[in-house]
Amino acid sequence: MVSMFLAACSEKNNTTGTASNAAAGAGTGEAGAKPVEISLFAQQEQGTDLKTNKFTQFLEEKFNAKFNWEIIPYDGAKEKRQISLASGDYPEAYMLTAYIDQFSQGDVLKYGKQGVLIPLNDLIDQYAPNIKAAMEKYPDLKAYNTAPDGNIYGLVAFTQCFHCSYPNKMWLNSKWMKQLNLETPKTTEDFKKVLEAFKNNDPNGNGKADEVPLSGSKEDFGVHVIPYLMNGFIYDDDRNYLSLASGKVDTVANKPEWKEGLAYIKSLFDEGLIDPGAFTQNADTLKKIGENADAQILGAAAAMHPAIFVNTDAGNKNGSDYDAIPPLTGPHASYATHDGGGVSSGAKFVITNKASKEAQIALIKMVDYMFTPEGETNASNGMKGIGWKDPVEGEQALGKDVKPQFTLIPAVEGAAPSNAGWSGMGHFYQP
């Protein structure tokens, strides 16, 4: 039965070459052998049940494994990961979502030196041809993964994501702009006038002062309201607030332009133009504002992409009403936050010293499968036939002169979640 299953998987994989084929047949154990039990810490997004997830079941069958999950929600993920490790009663592996929380470079080196995280070098050499090939093809991937002592204690999410590289975007309600006969704001003062119109002129037409002119949330995927606004005054990288001038590292946070930017942002807040919850709420709460049941109430949102705050599935009611606007010109600047390609150093996947040799081999083979086009797409978008399908003649790739590899099957507004993939937890290799 296992042989038949692996053969079927191999037949489905028509998107890659020898390294992918090697992974497609790289299951663990003999037919009828007892599954390898693996304790696994993971962050679970809304609409996903990792225990019953179709990709989870696929991996367990393909690699003869059984996951014993330690599952946490996105909210408070960093603190819960730290508590898990500090308790001493930690699992055999962590499989994290990089844009929610992952091990920092300092974490990786500290726990690697302590022996809590095991080096993956030999496992990769012996059991992971696709990971090995990827690091040979992209030296920066190898550099991200390799600690100063030469060991690989964990793997990053190598997602060279264009929209992630400019995370701090601002999305305006174009329907309201048209309703109120407003032009796209070009300056920080223009933007303030648009928010005032959203607040005071009843753009949703329900006769109530229920509009939320501007909102955001507290995570790290472009949802902070301050950077987009501050970049009209001085560069705000939304990370460490450092700058490099004449070969010297400096901070922007003690400059007169920063103080002036804060005064501008406070003026918006004092006039009720910024939702107070923008500084404390999570993205789930932000989306409830964007998808308010009674009336459309959201005027503008800070976010990497609109699906964070409105539904963009087929048949959506609000998803096409928001458009990104260019960076604002302020008194001193007109910047856009850039983070160099969306790859964050650290590690989203590690194996701890609690893992048996069998668990180590099964885990590295699973991740190696996610370094193939089929494996990556199954992991991030959901299983073939549910989240994606083969392209048909006439369909084009987004990139010029790029051969189409797959076609996404769009979700439908109001439909139950497919629970067929791992979404961001499956993001390993997207060059």
Side-chain angles (χ1 to χ4, degrees):
M1 289 175 64
V2 172
S3 298
M4 290 170 64
F5 183 80
L6 294 178
C9 294
S10 180
E11 287 172 5
K12 286 199 297 183
N13 182 6
N14 59 5
T15 60
T16 187
T18 55
S20 177
N21 293 335
T28 301
E30 300 296 328
K34 184 179 178 182
V36 178
E37 294 208 19
I38 303 171
S39 57
L40 190 60
F41 182 102
Q43 302 149 352
Q44 181 172 276
E45 68 175 20
Q46 273 196 331
T48 299
D49 181 352
L50 290 172
K51 294 179 180 178
T52 62
N53 185 269
K54 295 177 181 66
F55 185 65
T56 296
Q57 294 170 346
F58 171 81
L59 287 183
E60 287 182 325
E61 188 168 356
K62 183 175 179 64
F63 295 98
N64 196 34
K66 176 69 176 72
F67 293 127
N68 296 318
W69 293 99
E70 184 179 338
I71 296 171
I72 62 166
Y74 280 180
D75 202 23
K78 182 175 183 177
E79 293 77 11
K80 288 165 185 168
R81 171 181 60 82
Q82 291 171 333
I83 291 169
S84 165
L85 211 52
S87 71
D89 186 25
Y90 47 83
E92 292 170 285
Y94 290 78
M95 187 88 72
L96 308 176
T97 300
Y99 53 77
I100 297 299
D101 172 54
Q102 64 173 4
F103 289 91
S104 69
Q105 281 181 304
D107 288 337
V108 172
L109 193 56
K110 179 177 90 171
Y111 292 116
K113 291 283 190 183
Q114 291 177 358
V116 174
L117 307 183
I118 67 167
L120 306 178
N121 307 52
D122 291 344
L123 288 169
I124 291 171
D125 279 342
Q126 294 179 54
Y127 304 105
N130 296 293
I131 299 175
K132 197 172 178 180
M135 290 195 293
E136 289 172 357
K137 184 173 182 179
Y138 294 99
D140 52 336
L141 171 57
K142 186 173 183 179
Y144 273 116
N145 287 334
T146 306
D149 63 5
N151 283 319
I152 297 173
Y153 295 110
L155 299 175
V156 299
F158 192 66
T159 55
Q160 295 177 313
C161 162
F162 182 74
H163 76 266
C164 307
S165 66
Y166 292 90
N168 297 101
K169 304 179 187 72
M170 183 62 65
W171 302 83
L172 279 189
N173 189 323
S174 299
K175 186 167 73 174
W176 286 9
M177 296 284 288
K178 186 176 181 180
Q179 176 81 12
L180 300 175
N181 198 27
L182 298 171
E183 293 185 359
T184 301
K186 293 182 172 60
T187 69
T188 49
E189 287 307 308
D190 291 344
F191 187 71
K192 184 174 184 178
K193 291 174 183 175
V194 167
L195 297 184
E196 288 172 341
F198 285 173
K199 180 176 187 288
N200 300 321
N201 297 347
D202 192 27
N204 65 14
N206 67 354
K208 300 177 182 178
D210 57 355
E211 286 82 2
V212 178
L214 169 61
S215 194
S217 63
K218 64 181 181 178
E219 294 89 353
D220 293 326
F221 33 85
V223 285
H224 301 159
V225 297
I226 288 178
Y228 178 83
L229 302 172
M230 185 63 76
N231 275 322
F233 297 83
I234 192 169
Y235 184 63
D236 182 352
D237 68 349
D238 198 25
R239 283 163 184 78
N240 52 40
Y241 313 106
L242 297 178
S243 64
L244 188 66
S246 303
K248 292 185 177 181
V249 176
D250 199 356
T251 180
V252 298
N254 63 0
K255 302 296 182 286
E257 295 87 349
W258 185 273
K259 186 176 181 180
E260 192 175 339
L262 286 179
Y264 166 74
I265 295 166
K266 185 177 185 297
S267 75
L268 301 182
F269 186 84
D270 289 346
E271 291 186 28
L273 304 179
I274 300 178
D275 173 18
F279 303 96
T280 57
Q281 69 196 9
N282 61 28
D284 292 334
T285 305
L286 172 60
K287 196 160 190 174
K288 288 176 182 175
I289 297 172
E291 288 293 328
N292 184 61
D294 297 330
Q296 189 178 38
I297 61 173
L298 182 61
M304 185 182 292
H305 57 79
I308 292 169
F309 60 90
V310 285
N311 289 332
T312 57
D313 300 340
N316 68 80
K317 61 180 181 178
N318 297 325
S320 59
D321 290 343
Y322 296 86
D323 290 297
I325 59 172
L328 299 173
T329 299
H332 307 291
S334 182
Y335 292 123
T337 301
H338 181 251
D339 75 354
V343 182
S344 300
S345 56
K348 70 172 256 84
F349 169 73
V350 297
I351 300 176
T352 74
N353 56 5
K354 301 285 182 79
S356 67
K357 186 65 177 178
E358 292 77 14
Q360 295 172 25
I361 294 170
L363 283 162
I364 204 67
K365 285 184 174 183
M366 290 179 195
V367 173
D368 190 65
Y369 171 67
M370 287 184 268
F371 271 69
T372 69
E374 178 193 272
E376 166 58 36
T377 312
N378 279 338
S380 61
N381 296 103
M383 296 299 297
K384 185 175 182 179
I386 301 173
W388 65 283
K389 59 186 179 180
D390 291 326
V392 299
E393 188 175 351
E395 291 181 325
Q396 295 181 335
L398 294 177
K400 185 181 178 182
D401 300 325
V402 174
K403 182 181 178 182
Q405 298 289 316
F406 61 89
T407 299
L408 293 180
I409 300 173
V412 177
E413 173 88 359
S418 65
N419 198 32
W422 281 0
S423 191
M425 198 175 87
H427 289 181
F428 274 99
Y429 183 56
Q430 298 175 315

